Amino acid sequence: MIGASLPLEGVRRTIDAVWKMESAKIVAGLTRMVRDVGLAEELAQDALVAALEQWPESGVPDNPGAWLTAIAKRRAVDHIRRSARLERKHEQIAYELEQRQPDGEPDDVLRLMFLSCHPVLPTEERVALTLRLLGGLTAAEIARAFLAGEPVIVQRIASAKRTLADEGVPFELPDGGELAERLSSVLDVIYLIFNEGYSATSGDDLMRPELCLEALRLGRLLAELAPHEAEVHGLVALMELQASRSAARTGPSGEPVQLHEQNRGRWDRLLIRRGFTAMLRAREAGGPPGPYMLQAAIAVCHAQAATAADTDWRRIASLYEVLARLLPTPVVRLNHAVALGMAYGPEAGLAVADLLTDDPTLRDYHLLPSVRGDLLLRLGRREEARREFLRAASLTGNDAERAFLHRRADEIPAPEAPTLTLGRAARDFLARDDLDGGTVRSYGQTLRRLRLSLGEELPLDSLTADQVARVFRTAWGEAAAATWNRHRSAVRSFCAWASLEDLAAGLDRRAATPNRTETIDAARLDALWNLPGVPLRELTLWRLLHESTAGVTTVLSLNVEDLDLDDRRARAGGGWVSWRSGTARLLPRLLAGRTRGPLFLADRRPGPARAPTPADLCPETGRGRLSYERAEYLFKRATKPLDPAGHGYTLRQLKPRG
């Protein structure tokens, strides 16, 4: 024994370290034995509990990983014997499994990676399950890392295990054509974890180093298990090189430091060498470069430059051009715009960035106005740049980044002669005494979108019909006729109040399409309930709308404290909303221990500029109520493949026929 003389706290720290290193192999081996990842983790936890009970007295074994594995396998064999119906056959299986040597463990861990990142799971569940099974993190640790409630993480992990069991996902390595797709899912999950650590989407700090380290560990492990996959080494190279800049990315107060202003002497040379080595392995693996190899090649260009001025921006721009052809996402095109601006001047970059302002997927992406602000500032268009920095600040959920963007805006003097801005005019318009509550909420949705898309500080007299039309295209281009017309009427009322020309005059009023009011038929409903990867929130909302026949607004207004789960009903205004078994199975999972606040919550916490009323804010999670607009958009996007016209259905079409 190596730990007999260690104090109790030292033994517990040792157990925690051993568990983080060994848990993935133990759970993977048990999953191979019992073919149920949920049960495998329970058996592994039994072994951990045994260590916590025995090691403080007996000391840490010479080979703690082998000790834990032996105890866990013994628990598995006992379970197989207890639960077997055909006792003789199962005893034989248990005996064979007990005798099997652990030479297949590396493959088992790889199988576990593919299992926890299976596409049948929603992205947030893949991330939570991967960190739980392969990272050895507790639900509390994952919750702290993602600034989420522990019950939410527990629910995600439980839901993921249940889905894997219900879908009968095999504990096997994919082969043939499926391998590339499944491997891509694994890589995406690891890089998502890394990115959340490298540029946190919310919270006080720019970075969460523990997530970066965990993603790096998982990436290195995957590279050992799949040594001939070029994209795996490409991802590792990318993460190593990005992580090498971590110490230089923030200033003394935690504020962001832009890449060209970073002290390159603080870059970690060891991580850079590791990144270069991983890149060499990716090239040795052969084959055409994939997205991660191309991004790693861009990171290599930065790492090779001794100073910011030495950066080969033309090569970086050409690499982004190749990447954009392979992965034509708006974010890649935005990065291409940055590279073009550095290589060929701000006009070239702004020309590409301006094309992205019409892309609906970037309408609330804070880096788009941030990039445009940089380019405008370099062109001398200072007031436009100031407004873009302020707009970017209103869109980010990260406190450090918001403060940084506000500082950039404050460095540009505001106009000496104050002008009436869009934000001030909108607030004054909504504060009128002659508007009832429903009208204020309706008009407020329209004006909020204009303010987010165009900026609070936009001078009202510079607002144009073209700008309004662009907002309508990106926000409501695929909306139902009633939604489009409602927002159009709101803009016309605002213009009349502000003595502006009718900026919505060029937006034609839409006629309702009769066939859009038809309900979804049974076959397509069945296909809808079985769509893979649908988040629990959306599935519960759709089921509840279908089973209750209540209006969308009524269902979205429900609060947790109004639910009566036993009687399958909820108080809504002066009446009740009731549901059937489909909703009843989903609601407890959605609640995840919550006792107050809106039933259906938005994706993330609101920023200070768009704080909801207390009635629309969850006191336990800090998130606001899911909006009709967002719920409708998600439903249309999900149902496009089911709609013969290719437009997607509306939530109102979920009402049952007859």
Side-chain angles (χ1 to χ4, degrees):
M1 298 291 176
I2 62 172
S5 60
L6 286 176
L8 179 60
E9 188 59 34
V11 174
R12 288 181 175 170
R13 283 198 299 269
T14 301
I15 293 173
D16 184 60
V18 170
W19 178 252
K20 280 183 167 53
M21 289 187 294
E22 302 290 340
S23 62
K25 288 188 287 187
I26 295 170
V27 173
L30 292 171
T31 303
R32 171 168 47 79
M33 292 174 67
V34 300
R35 301 288 167 174
D36 183 330
V37 69
L39 175 59
E41 195 196 1
E42 290 178 13
L43 296 170
Q45 289 290 327
D46 287 347
L48 176 62
V49 170
L52 290 168
E53 291 174 347
Q54 298 178 34
W55 291 6
E57 294 184 6
S58 63
V60 179
D62 295 330
N63 191 336
W67 190 97
L68 287 167
T69 300
I71 295 296
K73 281 190 173 183
R74 196 177 304 155
R75 298 285 198 273
V77 170
D78 290 344
H79 174 83
I80 290 172
R81 286 175 172 153
R82 278 197 310 271
S83 62
R85 291 183 179 179
L86 303 175
E87 186 173 343
R88 183 179 303 172
K89 180 178 178 180
H90 284 197
E91 283 183 355
Q92 180 181 355
I93 293 173
Y95 176 80
E96 291 173 354
L97 290 172
E98 193 174 27
Q99 298 303 312
R100 185 178 297 176
Q101 296 302 313
D103 55 359
E105 282 186 352
D107 280 348
D108 286 344
V109 175
L110 188 57
R111 290 187 184 97
L112 189 64
M113 278 192 171
F114 279 101
L115 186 69
S116 64
C117 299
H118 198 283
V120 74
L121 301 176
T123 300
E124 64 270 16
E125 291 184 9
R126 294 184 216 176
V127 170
L129 189 63
T130 298
L131 289 173
R132 183 74 182 96
L133 298 183
L134 290 147
L137 275 64
T138 65
E141 289 171 328
I142 299 170
R144 282 197 299 273
F146 281 93
L147 304 185
E150 185 176 349
V152 173
I153 299 300
V154 170
Q155 185 273 325
R156 287 178 184 173
I157 294 170
S159 176
K161 294 176 186 175
R162 187 162 46 246
T163 299
L164 292 173
D166 292 345
E167 296 292 330
V169 176
F171 185 63
E172 296 174 357
L173 293 176
D175 53 14
E178 188 185 4
L179 178 62
E181 179 184 348
R182 294 282 303 281
L183 181 62
S184 176
S185 176
V186 176
L187 297 176
D188 289 349
V189 168
I190 294 174
Y191 195 43
L192 189 153
I193 294 169
F194 179 85
N195 269 336
E196 184 58 32
Y198 194 68
S199 297
T201 55
S202 60
D204 299 330
D205 302 319
L206 181 68
M207 298 182 64
R208 298 181 196 148
E210 67 279 8
L211 284 179
C212 289
L213 291 173
E214 190 55 41
L216 271 170
R217 191 185 71 79
L218 291 174
R220 292 165 183 163
L221 175 62
L222 182 58
E224 292 175 7
L225 299 174
H228 304 299
E229 295 291 341
E231 275 292 84
V232 173
H233 295 295
L235 173 61
V236 173
L238 174 61
M239 293 192 298
E240 301 278 14
L241 292 169
Q242 287 184 328
S244 72
R245 304 196 290 262
S246 296
R249 290 188 67 234
T250 54
S253 303
E255 71 277 10
V257 178
Q258 297 182 94
L259 181 61
H260 67 278
E261 296 177 342
Q262 290 177 13
N263 177 359
R264 298 188 178 218
R266 300 188 67 197
W267 287 7
D268 190 317
R269 308 312 300 179
L270 173 60
L271 288 178
I272 290 175
R273 287 196 296 273
R274 295 184 72 153
F276 287 169
T277 301
M279 193 61 178
L280 287 174
R281 289 177 181 160
R283 289 170 178 159
E284 289 169 359
Y292 289 112
M293 276 191 68
L294 288 169
Q295 291 176 82
I298 292 167
V300 166
C301 290
H302 288 298
Q304 288 176 329
T307 66
D310 295 331
T311 305
D312 189 349
W313 280 107
R314 295 202 171 196
R315 172 162 172 73
I316 291 174
S318 66
L319 286 169
Y320 269 121
E321 187 174 353
V322 176
L323 180 61
R325 288 198 296 267
L326 189 64
L327 194 69
T329 66
V331 173
V332 169
R333 290 163 60 201
L334 180 61
N335 286 330
H336 187 207
V338 173
L340 288 171
M342 298 300 292
Y344 302 104
E347 298 95 338
L350 189 61
V352 174
D354 284 348
L355 293 175
L356 298 173
T357 56
D358 284 338
D359 195 308
T361 59
L362 293 183
R363 68 181 188 186
D364 290 333
Y365 188 53
H366 72 283
L367 290 182
L368 176 55
S370 177
V371 166
R372 292 191 75 251
D374 273 321
L375 296 168
L376 289 165
L377 188 59
R378 290 170 57 197
L379 286 170
R381 296 160 61 178
R382 296 171 62 80
E383 176 54 22
E384 291 177 82
R386 187 182 75 87
R387 294 201 301 266
E388 285 294 83
F389 289 139
L390 289 173
R391 191 164 78 87
S394 73
L395 293 173
T396 183
N398 184 276
D399 294 340
E401 204 160 18
R402 185 182 304 111
F404 169 73
L405 289 163
H406 275 299
R407 280 196 297 274
R408 295 208 67 188
D410 292 342
E411 290 170 357
I412 304 171
E416 293 184 6
T419 59
L420 181 61
T421 64
L422 173 61
R424 177 59 186 270
R427 288 190 291 272
D428 291 347
F429 173 71
L430 296 173
R432 293 159 51 197
D433 294 333
D434 59 331
L435 298 180
D436 59 42
T439 303
V440 169
R441 283 192 296 273
S442 178
Y443 285 177
Q445 288 179 355
T446 307
L447 294 175
R448 175 179 172 273
R449 173 47 53 196
L450 287 174
R451 291 153 65 187
L452 283 174
S453 298
L454 302 175
E456 294 272 344
E457 298 297 310
L458 179 74
L460 189 64
D461 58 11
S462 70
L463 182 63
T464 66
D466 285 343
Q467 290 173 313
V468 172
R470 176 167 57 80
V471 174
F472 267 68
R473 285 196 303 271
T474 57
W476 305 300
E478 297 184 358
T483 302
W484 173 278
N485 294 336
R486 175 170 62 85
H487 291 300
R488 178 177 176 272
S489 296
V491 170
R492 299 187 74 177
S493 296
F494 175 67
C495 290
W497 172 84
S499 300
L500 298 172
E501 62 175 296
D502 185 0
L503 300 178
L507 300 171
D508 294 335
R509 181 177 178 81
R510 289 183 177 177
T513 307
N515 62 4
R516 304 297 289 158
T517 61
E518 294 180 0
T519 57
I520 305 173
D521 62 50
R524 290 189 174 87
L525 271 176
D526 186 60
L528 175 64
W529 307 141
N530 292 286
L531 280 175
V534 175
L536 177 62
R537 179 190 65 184
E538 274 70 74
L539 189 58
T540 308
L541 172 62
W542 303 346
R543 278 281 189 180
L544 181 51
L545 286 169
H546 178 66
E547 293 183 358
S548 69
T549 73
V552 181
T553 303
T554 299
V555 169
L556 288 173
S557 70
L558 293 176
N559 295 314
V560 176
E561 55 266 34
D562 297 328
L563 302 182
D564 185 339
L565 296 181
D566 292 334
D567 286 347
R568 298 184 180 179
R569 64 177 187 168
R571 185 174 295 282
W576 294 89
V577 171
S578 58
W579 54 84
R580 299 197 300 275
S581 58
T583 305
R585 285 193 299 269
L586 298 169
L587 275 174
R589 294 165 54 193
L590 179 68
L591 296 178
R594 289 191 295 122
T595 58
R596 296 177 298 159
L599 174 58
F600 296 103
L601 297 176
D603 299 294
R604 61 181 184 178
R605 297 177 182 179
R610 51 181 188 270
T613 63
D616 290 328
L617 190 69
C618 174
E620 299 173 20
T621 67
R623 288 152 61 193
R625 189 182 302 277
L626 177 65
S627 69
Y628 194 138
E629 178 188 27
R630 178 66 175 166
E632 190 79 274
Y633 166 75
L634 292 172
F635 187 62
K636 279 196 169 186
R637 186 177 67 177
T639 55
K640 277 185 179 181
L642 305 179
D643 181 8
H647 300 302
Y649 294 107
T650 66
L651 289 168
R652 288 191 177 93
Q653 292 177 275
L654 279 169
K655 287 191 176 183
R657 294 192 167 193

